[in-house]
Amino acid sequence: MGVVAGLVMLVAGVTTADGTAVAGRKAPVVWGACPKVAGKTASAALECATVRVPLDYREPMGQQIKIALNRIRAKVSRDANHLGTLLVNPGGPGSSGRDLTEYVATSLPADVSERYDIVGFDPRGVGASQPSVHCVDPATYYKAPRPDAVPHGKAEEKALLARAAGYASRCGQLWSWLLPHLTTENSARDMDAIRAALGEEKISYLGYSYGTYLGAVYATLFPTRVKRLVMDSSVDPTGVWYDSNLKQDRAFEHRHRQFLAWTARHHDAYKLGATQKQTSFAYYAMRDRLRAKPAGGVVGPSELDDTFTVAGYSDKVWPQFAQAWSSYVRQGDVRGLMEIYNKHGRNDAADENGYAIYLGVQCRDARWPRQWDTWRADMKALHREAPFLTWPNAWFNAPCAFWPVRGGTPVKVHASRKLPPFLMLQSRHDAATPYQGALQMARSFPRARMVLEGGGNHGVSLAGNKCLDGYLAAYLRDGTLPRRDTTCPALPEPRPAAHMTSGDPKGAGLLGLLGVLEGLPIG
């Protein structure tokens, strides 16, 4: 829906559509201990709470839903040294912001993090927020090996199409009352409800990937409520969402070829080819072989796609992925492929929740082609240019062709003179949120300053680049921005011996906040 006109009474207070405060009821956040999740005890530093928000902001006194929060409190008192609330979001749409809180708090310099209340939130429908949306049984839907995402003939395309339509239909059957209200605009309004419930006149915000678009919409709707704003790996706000995915396919192709070239440069370690052309042949030969005989009876071509897409997000996995690939090709050893699939490609109930919200938001935010002929023509043409991700990404998004609620008109993102200058962080070869899209975001906010890192990882802050993290810390500390757009050198490429032995790149923060599910969505 478009920008809501008139007064919008939030549970946490009363706010007009442009963010101007009016007297109203107060419902302050009540913090308490965080519950155990899957048998794990939450960090003692974390507190948890919920905030009630309207399902439909046009009916503010109607049905309410719950947004789950957590926080790590500032260590300074609420005086001049306290910098207020820093709200964080890792993207998706569909990712849990509560998974990011502790990572940000422990990764920022202590003299910065200790001055903020760092608050993560699960957007509407996600994780611990209520309701938490699920559409299918993940054990059945993701049972491996799945059909090859690159259809070989009309029968296979028809089966894939039925799978996409079935997912959309099931979501509609279960969540018809909620789907019309899963929009980025409503999530931005939820953010303002959180701000009001926390008793803050303004909030600071750190958003990654899709979280940059959410931040841009918030800044458009509530410019006077922004204290400091950081966008890391920015979405093109003018391309939501069908066009963005086509551009993403090209960017992932470029990044995949960089990985193939890196593997060729280390031919002595992996022996998969001494040129990019040779390693490309070896990669697609492996994919074809897995179509005929999945590794371990599990890793077929679609599972391979899911897993190796992660290598487009972060080069930190390249040594481990290349070694698994080499062991399979040269020795027939499937253990490496199984290991990286289980760690980076396998999907569970949390992933299915993220997928449902990813589709719910993107399919509803904007219009998608409803005729499959349009998709087919676009994908066939693009597959010739960018075979790595075109068809897998198409099927990931294909339920939008059948979504029970049609897409609307996105918020027109733009700058206000009331919005303070803010910081953008970006890598030049980012596949998930390409650099050209970040430039478009910068054009939408001319007073923003961009720090461009020369590498290709997604989600570049708090990942070990001291130059870039210095700019982030300075801005969050006292609002200092570079005088003009500037650059930071990329981190060194990984070495073959630097096999990853710990960490999960699907988790928040680590290896660039890889987002939801198979690494395919925008964030």
Side-chain angles (χ1 to χ4, degrees):
M1 69 183 165
V3 176
V4 179
L7 293 179
V8 177
M9 180 174 289
L10 303 176
V11 175
V14 181
T15 306
T16 65
D18 66 357
T20 304
V22 185
R25 292 188 293 133
K26 296 294 182 183
V29 176
V30 178
W31 295 99
C34 294
K36 291 184 179 180
V37 178
K40 297 181 180 179
T41 303
S43 166
L46 283 169
E47 301 174 295
C48 287
T50 59
V51 170
R52 290 181 177 271
V53 300
L55 171 68
D56 184 347
Y57 280 92
R58 296 170 300 184
E59 299 181 5
M61 301 307 295
Q63 184 174 356
Q64 307 284 304
I65 59 176
K66 293 180 180 179
I67 304 298
L69 316 177
N70 67 5
R71 77 171 176 182
I72 293 181
R73 296 182 66 180
K75 293 186 178 180
V76 300
S77 61
R78 296 191 71 89
D79 56 18
N81 288 321
H82 192 279
L83 294 174
T85 293
L86 175 63
L87 205 61
V88 297
N89 180 276
S95 291
S96 166
R98 302 196 321 155
D99 289 344
L100 182 59
T101 307
E102 190 171 14
Y103 183 85
V104 170
T106 56
S107 299
L108 284 170
D111 72 314
V112 176
S113 64
E114 292 177 357
R115 296 175 66 192
Y116 282 99
D117 292 332
I118 298 177
V119 176
F121 68 102
D122 288 354
R124 53 175 57 199
V126 174
S129 290
Q130 297 177 17
S132 180
V133 174
H134 294 272
C135 295
V136 298
D137 175 9
T140 301
Y141 189 75
Y142 295 121
K143 185 178 180 180
R146 304 195 316 273
D148 189 348
V150 180
H152 291 218
K154 292 182 178 180
E156 292 188 9
E157 181 182 338
K158 185 176 180 180
L160 290 162
L161 205 55
R163 188 171 187 269
Y167 192 92
S169 175
R170 186 61 177 158
C171 288
Q173 291 168 12
L174 293 173
W175 301 103
S176 60
W177 64 273
L178 178 63
L179 295 186
H181 309 292
L182 290 179
T183 64
T184 300
E185 179 179 339
N186 279 337
S187 289
R189 294 189 180 281
D190 293 344
M191 284 172 55
D192 204 57
I194 293 169
R195 174 203 59 76
L198 293 173
E200 302 279 16
E201 291 186 8
K202 297 183 178 184
I203 55 170
S204 298
Y205 176 78
L206 168 61
Y208 293 83
S209 195
Y210 162 80
T212 66
Y213 180 64
L214 177 58
V217 172
Y218 184 83
T220 298
L221 298 178
F222 303 105
T224 63
R225 298 303 186 193
V226 176
K227 183 175 183 178
R228 288 170 195 157
L229 169 63
V230 182
M231 295 184 180
D232 186 327
S233 305
S234 292
V235 168
D236 181 349
T238 67
V240 295
W241 289 113
Y242 184 77
D243 288 346
S244 288
N245 279 280
L246 297 180
K247 292 174 182 176
Q248 192 180 48
D249 295 341
R250 294 185 177 93
F252 265 100
E253 183 67 27
H254 175 72
R255 190 63 172 155
H256 180 63
R257 291 179 184 180
Q258 289 182 327
F259 167 59
L260 296 176
W262 177 88
T263 305
R265 289 196 296 275
H266 297 289
H267 177 62
D268 57 337
Y270 303 116
K271 295 180 171 56
L272 291 165
T275 66
Q276 180 188 311
K277 184 176 181 180
Q278 290 172 346
T279 52
S280 180
F281 177 86
Y283 181 83
Y284 286 105
M286 172 176 64
R287 193 183 187 284
D288 288 342
R289 183 179 175 186
L290 292 172
R291 176 180 168 91
K293 186 179 180 181
V298 173
V299 181
S302 288
E303 288 71 32
L304 188 78
D305 295 339
D306 294 351
T307 304
F308 273 78
T309 297
V310 173
Y313 283 87
S314 175
D315 60 15
K316 292 184 180 181
V317 302
W318 288 5
Q320 186 188 28
F321 280 34
Q323 185 59 59
W325 170 19
S326 177
S327 296
Y328 172 75
V329 169
R330 297 187 56 78
Q331 302 168 21
D333 186 346
V334 303
R335 289 176 297 178
L337 287 183
M338 291 292 294
E339 180 183 355
I340 63 174
Y341 166 68
N342 286 329
K343 190 171 185 179
H344 306 304
R346 184 184 293 276
N347 298 300
D348 58 17
D351 294 315
E352 194 275 325
N353 168 240
Y355 184 47
I357 297 301
Y358 168 86
L359 291 171
V361 172
Q362 293 213 350
C363 299
R364 181 70 178 112
D365 263 357
R367 294 179 177 86
W368 291 72
R370 304 292 286 194
Q371 298 296 322
W372 185 250
D373 287 348
T374 300
W375 292 66
R376 183 191 296 111
D378 288 343
M379 302 314 152
K380 281 187 173 181
L382 188 55
H383 179 75
R384 290 191 289 269
E385 173 189 341
F388 175 67
L389 194 64
T390 294
W391 276 113
N393 205 12
W395 295 118
F396 193 90
N397 291 281
C400 287
F402 309 99
W403 205 245
V405 181
R406 288 183 177 266
T409 301
V411 172
K412 185 176 176 56
V413 168
H414 64 275
S416 163
R417 282 180 289 184
K418 298 178 181 178
L419 179 71
F422 62 84
L423 182 65
M424 297 177 63
L425 309 171
Q426 181 73 26
S427 73
R428 184 178 295 277
H429 302 292
D430 188 338
T433 51
Y435 175 48
Q436 292 301 318
L439 291 177
Q440 186 60 54
M441 180 72 84
R443 284 191 283 271
S444 299
F445 296 98
R447 297 174 67 200
R449 291 290 179 266
M450 184 188 298
V451 180
L452 180 65
E453 193 241 38
N457 290 340
H458 181 63
V460 288
S461 65
L462 307 180
N465 190 313
K466 293 182 179 179
C467 169
L468 190 140
D469 287 348
Y471 285 108
L472 172 64
Y475 174 64
L476 290 178
R477 186 181 293 115
D478 57 21
T480 299
L481 287 167
R483 292 184 179 180
R484 60 183 64 85
D485 291 350
T486 189
T487 60
C488 282
L491 293 174
E493 284 188 342
R495 296 181 178 181
H499 294 170
M500 176 186 291
T501 57
S502 65
D504 179 0
K506 292 182 74 176
L510 294 174
L511 305 186
L513 308 153
L514 298 188
V516 181
L517 257 172
E518 303 146 341
L520 300 179
I522 291 295

